[in-house]
Amino acid sequence: MGEVRSGAAGMASPRVFPLSCVVQQYAWGKMGSNSEVARLLASSDPLARISEDKPYAELWMGAHPRGDAKILDSRISQRTLGQWIAENQDCLGSKVKDTFNGKLPFLFKVLSVETALSIQAHPNKELAEKLHLQAPQHYPDANHKPEMAIALTSFQGLCGFRPVEEIVTFLTKVPEFQFLVGDNATTQLKQSLSHDSQAMASALQSGFSHLMESKKQLVVEQLNLLVKRISQQVAAGNNVEDICGELLLQLHQQYPGDIGCFAIYFLNLLTLKPGEAMFLEANVPHAYLKGDCVECMACSDNTVRAGLTSKFIDVPTLCEMLSYTSSPSKDRLFPPKRSQEDPYLSLYAPPVPDFAVMKMEVSRGHGGCPWLFLWGLITLAKDTLWLYLGLGFLFLLSSFGERWPRACPSSLYQGPDVGLHADKSLSSGEKAVLGVVLCL
């Protein structure tokens, strides 16, 4: 945009500046240029060299200490976004600054998943503080981590507990699963069908805990028996969909002998279409299995794991902390709300104060100019607009300060190359749906 404003010393400082964001090369990521993360990295940095034999799992856009974005503007004295925010607190706006202690409250990511992530959940604020105090090497901060995943491609994941009726059906059809859950827990689950939700929750906790706490030798033995049985049925041309046979074989190939393979019989299996989302509040068990997504969360890296991983696992904590509420898979979807003023804008607004995500679509050009479609995340905090773009770039539209009009018109900025449009006229401190269009 090229606009500047005067700083305290009278020197021009940019209102918009680009950031270089951190790539995490976790083992579960897609390899090389097959990864959307790698392609975003290459598109945003002409000097980037993609290694085709290395995974590119996550692109972090934010100021978390494990992935603080670097500032790419030589006019800015600070080197990272976190440093800049610490010295420019007004950029957050007074409400965000006071509520979140002067820190950027969210972290935005792009994920490219090739192999399954761990069976996991994220702690609430109280538990996060406790875990960080007890084991900071495993729980690196004291913040909670509600998060939302929005599919960019077909995206498969596990999320929340299945209806108990479905779990009981699997206990009947998969004897290896029933063996590990145990007779007492199996009976409790079956009997809970005729009782209230509290009895169901108690039965779920008992059954899931018995499964996850099974001895390793028994898990390996039962998993090998199940894999052999399913493989024989597949070879014979039989349909094994009723016991999630193909998924079981896939997970066993990725994590042989892992108890997490059996978790598919407790947790809902979701396949999101592009644009569909699931919201993961505190204590909800989940695992991402395959595909590309954008993910937004509170600014935290706290995860409690119990399977499908080589990282630190904490089964007792996970089983104790979980929300044992069962629901159909369709209830785990989190639909966006389409703007009434603009059919090309959709807002994913979860019931947390830390973040919201907006999807912006541009259907066609105007006046012969090709338009570029952008995924973006907008936070409007008092006098500040934060803009996250799905091209591997992150921009801070800094505080307008004294120059921000009392009632800003819906066309916030219009130039030959870029337009910013809100869905309404807004005053300082209001929220708005913001559209971003680039003319190429």
Side-chain angles (χ1 to χ4, degrees), residues 195 244 273 343:
H195 292 76
C244 301
K273 300 175 184 177

Side-chain angles (χ1 to χ4, degrees), residues 5 14-17 84 88 91 383-385 396-401 404:
R5 62 183 174 90
R15 274 169 51 175
V16 181
F17 54 83
W84 190 90
N88 295 270
C91 76
D383 299 335
T384 304
L385 296 174
L396 166 61
L397 282 65
S398 186
S399 175
F400 284 76
W404 185 279

Side-chain angles (χ1 to χ4, degrees), residues 379-394:
T379 297
L380 174 57
K382 194 179 179 182
D383 299 335
T384 304
L385 296 174
W386 290 87
L387 167 60
Y388 285 75
L389 303 181
L391 296 176
F393 283 105
L394 166 64

Side-chain angles (χ1 to χ4, degrees), residues 189-209:
L189 280 163
K190 291 178 178 179
Q191 291 177 345
S192 74
L193 292 173
S194 58
H195 292 76
D196 59 18
S197 59
Q198 185 174 355
M200 282 191 174
S202 177
L204 275 174
Q205 182 168 7
S206 177
F208 188 73
S209 298

Side-chain angles (χ1 to χ4, degrees), residues 223 226-232 234 240 244-255 261 264:
L223 192 52
L226 180 56
V227 167
K228 181 179 179 180
R229 183 163 63 86
I230 292 176
S231 298
Q232 290 173 343
V234 170
V240 292
C244 301
E246 296 287 351
L247 178 58
L248 190 286
L249 294 179
Q250 172 189 315
L251 294 178
H252 179 261
Q253 184 179 27
Q254 296 172 6
Y255 299 95
C261 297
I264 62 175

Side-chain angles (χ1 to χ4, degrees), residues 28-72:
W28 49 260
K30 292 184 179 181
M31 303 295 287
S33 56
N34 288 324
S35 168
E36 181 66 21
V37 170
R39 293 193 291 269
L40 290 172
L41 175 63
S43 70
S44 63
D45 183 359
L47 299 179
R49 296 293 179 266
I50 305 303
S51 299
E52 296 299 332
D53 60 346
K54 292 184 178 180
Y56 292 80
E58 296 185 354
L59 180 69
W60 285 27
M61 294 169 275
H64 191 277
R66 287 193 170 186
D68 199 357
K70 295 180 181 179
I71 295 174
L72 295 181

